[in-house]
Amino acid sequence: MKQGMYENTNYAGIKKLLGKPGYVAVLDYGRQPRVDKKTGKMVIKQIKKQKHFDTLKEARQAMAEAAMERKMGSNTSGIRSTKFSDMTEDFKKSERYKNLEENYRKHYDNYINHFIDFFGEMEVSKISVIDMENYYRFQMERGNLNTAKKNKDGTVNKKEGITINTVQKHKTAAKRIWEFMIDARVYGVTENIAEKSSVPKAEIIIDGKVKKVAKIPYHPRSLTLEELNETLNDAAQHEFDRSVILMIGLGAVGGLRHSEVTGLQMGKVLHNELMNISDEIWEMSGYDKELYKVHDEYMMIDTAIMDNKAKFPKSGIVRVAAVPRPLRQILDYAMEQRKEVLDIAGRALTGSDNVYLPLINIIKNQPLNSQKLTRKWTEYQKRRNRRMEEKGLAPIPVIRFHDLRHTAATNMHQLTGDFYTVGEVLGHTLAGIGVSLGLSMNFEAVTARYVDVRLERKKEVLDAYHSAVEKADPPKAKEAEPKKAKGRAKKKSTDLEL
């Protein structure tokens, strides 16, 4: 307040105007959360406002209300004033957090880091529905720079906001955290503001029209035969780590799920002294043991890795799958590099070793982290597309790892029309393969003569698929050398076309 324009009253913070009627009061609301206009993030600021009042009574009333708002949060009933960042430490000690599967806990750790970056210094009892919705908008529009990987000079590359589908997952995690705070009864939280909040809708184009949706529907996209050829050729020619082409082959040629790729063991693929199949698994597979041993074009799918734990595959069915010639050659190509590294290290391959194992894990003798397969696939697609653009080619759309399985299913079905055998090859139920292929029919009406699909028929379907796409030899297993020095040119294999 400028001197000469006011005169003091008997009340601190209130002054009487000179030359005109009225009073001016400085209202102190204390430290409160506000959205920073420059960063878009929630910050804690000291809030003071200067307001004009017609009467002294109105000014005094406003001062009293500001003082009451400033003191809200202090109490004597066991409820404590807690910052959001401090509360998360309590949450991680709770049963709600500990009972989560390992994979989910890692996701929750990521969500919590995002929450702390936004709400960190706020008192949990003062976080409102509006604050939560501001958080959603911030994540969608700005992204979280503080949790992004930093460059060597400390700078952070521009990061796009997360998708609306991921924001929905953040909301689910927030609901669980607020449930914890309500049940704890020590944070002054009485309502689940995350549950009451709304995620902003995103605009997408459907059938040529712009529509607002709360979740973007995902439509599986399979690679065409040409795109699969380009992908396999690129991996064979440019990726020094041969586990890259192996993961593509197991998914797109073998039709294995993510969990089956990470769970597949050498003893279930090799038909030599390393074969490692228990009597229980033989019985569950229903396949002739002696016949299997003499046919190296078959492999046993009996283990899936989920949350880094070994389980039966999703279907709960142990199945014998065919290993067509192209996939066998990809396996041999990858195993040659692996055996060279093991020879140098003085180690031997065992039947319990994972078939898919990145080169760095082989060198360091580290177990497979099953949760990194998706990231490896995504990072490879970016490298592949960058190389395609350098050659003046249109990049191939980025797809999920599971869509490699859809690639195998779709191409086999298009070439043979035998949806049931395709389902058997992939370990699907009738309804399951129908969903994967987008078919709509009464599956219960399939006659009994289709129920017992012989393994020979499975092989016929696979042969039709691979004969149609096998126009060049896969990479031959020859003189693979481990990488010796940084900057060395990557060894190229012969062109591969499947």
Side-chain angles (χ1 to χ4, degrees):
M1 297 182 187
K2 294 182 180 179
Q3 293 183 354
M5 297 177 61
Y6 312 94
E7 66 177 7
N8 291 325
T9 64
N10 293 327
Y11 303 98
I14 302 177
K15 293 186 180 293
K16 187 178 187 305
L17 290 168
L18 295 177
K20 55 181 178 180
Y23 296 82
V24 172
V26 177
L27 308 177
D28 185 358
Y29 293 95
R31 292 170 59 78
Q32 293 192 5
R34 289 290 185 272
V35 175
D36 189 302
K37 293 181 180 180
K38 292 183 179 180
T39 65
K41 296 199 298 185
M42 192 69 70
V43 295
I44 303 297
K45 291 186 176 181
Q46 186 73 26
I47 306 299
K48 289 186 178 181
K49 295 181 181 180
Q50 181 176 297
K51 291 188 177 182
H52 175 269
F53 298 93
D54 293 332
T55 66
L56 179 60
K57 182 179 179 180
E58 291 175 346
R60 289 182 61 192
Q61 178 66 28
M63 289 288 287
E65 291 173 356
M68 181 64 69
E69 187 170 336
R70 189 168 62 247
K71 293 179 181 179
M72 282 180 65
S74 63
N75 57 75
T76 57
S77 60
I79 296 175
R80 60 179 187 262
S81 176
T82 309
K83 294 179 181 178
F84 186 90
S85 56
D86 295 333
M87 177 278 302
T88 58
E89 295 302 315
D90 296 338
F91 174 72
K92 288 186 176 182
K93 297 174 184 177
S94 71
E95 292 302 313
R96 270 191 173 83
Y97 178 81
K98 292 179 180 179
N99 289 338
L100 292 170
E101 292 280 353
E102 180 184 353
N103 188 37
Y104 280 104
R105 282 202 301 273
K106 290 184 178 181
H107 285 301
Y108 268 67
D109 290 342
N110 179 49
Y111 302 147
I112 288 171
N113 286 338
H114 283 267
F115 293 147
I116 290 175
D117 185 64
F118 192 85
F119 297 120
E121 297 303 308
M122 291 179 62
E123 290 185 22
V124 292
S125 61
K126 293 184 178 180
I127 299 176
S128 66
V129 172
I130 294 175
D131 296 329
M132 183 57 68
E133 292 176 349
N134 284 336
Y135 168 81
Y136 300 148
R137 276 187 285 272
F138 169 72
Q139 292 297 342
M140 291 174 65
E141 296 169 4
R142 303 291 293 273
N144 192 334
L145 295 180
N146 285 358
T147 57
K149 291 183 179 178
K150 291 182 172 56
N151 301 319
K152 291 183 179 179
D153 59 1
T155 59
V156 177
N157 295 329
K158 184 178 180 181
K159 186 179 179 183
E160 296 180 357
I162 59 180
T163 66
I164 189 171
N165 291 10
T166 305
V167 170
Q168 291 283 7
K169 294 178 181 178
H170 283 229
K171 178 179 178 179
T172 300
K175 286 164 62 177
R176 194 179 190 94
I177 292 173
W178 256 262
E179 287 171 0
F180 159 74
M181 288 192 284
I182 292 170
D183 291 347
R185 298 183 180 180
V186 295
Y187 301 105
V189 176
T190 57
E191 63 177 355
N192 195 325
I193 59 104
E195 189 170 18
K196 292 185 176 182
S197 63
S198 299
V199 174
K201 292 188 176 181
E203 290 186 352
I204 63 172
I205 298 176
I206 301 177
D207 297 330
K209 297 180 181 180
V210 177
K211 295 185 178 180
K212 290 187 175 183
V213 296
K215 185 176 182 180
I216 299 174
Y218 181 81
H219 301 288
R221 184 193 184 279
S222 303
L223 294 178
T224 64
L225 295 180
E226 293 74 21
E227 290 170 340
L228 179 56
N229 289 338
E230 178 65 36
T231 297
L232 288 168
N233 277 316
D234 176 87
Q237 294 179 41
H238 299 289
E239 296 294 324
F240 182 79
D241 182 354
R242 297 185 184 181
S243 71
V244 174
I245 193 172
L246 179 58
M247 72 173 174
I248 299 169
L250 290 171
V253 182
L256 272 64
R257 300 178 177 91
H258 178 292
S259 59
E260 293 170 351
V261 171
T262 56
L264 189 62
Q265 297 177 347
M266 298 303 305
K268 309 299 167 54
V269 174
L270 298 178
H271 290 245
N272 54 23
E273 68 279 1
L274 294 181
M275 183 183 290
N276 181 22
I277 303 175
S278 67
D279 291 338
E280 180 186 7
I281 296 302
W282 282 121
E283 185 175 346
M284 292 179 69
S285 71
Y287 195 70
D288 184 84
K289 185 175 182 179
E290 298 305 318
L291 184 61
Y292 178 92
K293 286 182 178 180
V294 298
H295 287 280
D296 66 355
E297 67 269 28
Y298 302 142
M299 61 182 171
M300 187 75 72
I301 310 297
D302 74 325
T303 307
I305 301 295
M306 289 172 278
D307 298 325
N308 281 326
K309 296 178 182 177
K311 302 178 180 179
F312 282 120
K314 186 177 180 180
S315 61
I317 300 172
V318 173
R319 72 182 192 278
V320 174
V323 181
R325 188 175 69 85
L327 181 56
R328 173 59 63 186
Q329 290 181 320
I330 290 174
L331 281 163
D332 292 342
Y333 176 68
M335 287 306 111
E336 183 184 52
Q337 182 185 57
R338 183 166 179 172
K339 288 175 182 176
E340 281 208 7
V341 174
L342 291 175
D343 288 343
I344 293 171
R347 304 196 306 271
L349 197 64
T350 70
S352 60
D353 287 344
N354 291 94
V355 172
Y356 167 76
L357 195 64
L359 183 59
I360 188 65
N361 294 68
I362 300 170
I363 294 172
K364 293 186 176 182
N365 196 23
Q366 292 178 341
L368 172 68
N369 185 338
S370 64
Q371 296 165 359
K372 290 187 176 181
L373 176 64
T374 297
R375 185 190 307 170
K376 295 276 187 186
W377 167 238
T378 301
E379 290 173 349
Y380 163 70
Q381 290 182 95
K382 292 178 181 177
R383 295 195 297 273
R384 175 202 62 196
N385 286 350
R386 188 162 55 246
R387 290 189 284 261
M388 292 183 70
E389 289 173 341
E390 289 172 356
K391 293 189 294 185
L393 300 174
I396 298 172
V398 173
I399 62 174
R400 305 173 306 170
F401 184 81
H402 191 75
D403 290 337
L404 292 177
R405 180 171 160 85
H406 287 296
T407 295
T410 301
N411 288 323
M412 277 190 279
H413 180 256
Q414 287 179 346
L415 289 165
T416 67
D418 189 342
F419 85 91
Y420 187 81
T421 303
V422 171
E424 286 288 308
V425 168
L426 298 177
H428 261 306
T429 61
L430 279 175
I433 192 61
V435 171
S436 290
L437 299 174
L439 300 176
S440 177
M441 58 184 292
N442 181 8
F443 295 106
E444 300 302 325
V446 178
T447 56
R449 66 191 178 93
Y450 290 112
V451 173
D452 185 19
V453 176
R454 294 174 301 142
L455 196 61
E456 289 80 1
R457 175 54 185 160
K458 295 181 185 180
K459 192 170 182 300
E460 289 172 11
V461 170
L462 281 165
D463 285 343
Y465 171 33
H466 300 118
S467 295
V469 295
E470 187 183 36
K471 299 176 182 176
D473 287 336
K476 299 295 189 297
K478 273 191 204 176
E479 301 181 36
E481 294 180 7
K483 198 171 183 179
K484 293 182 180 178
K486 189 175 181 180
R488 174 181 172 179
K490 294 178 181 176
K491 181 180 176 184
K492 295 184 179 180
S493 72
T494 56
D495 280 354
L496 168 68
E497 186 171 338
L498 280 181

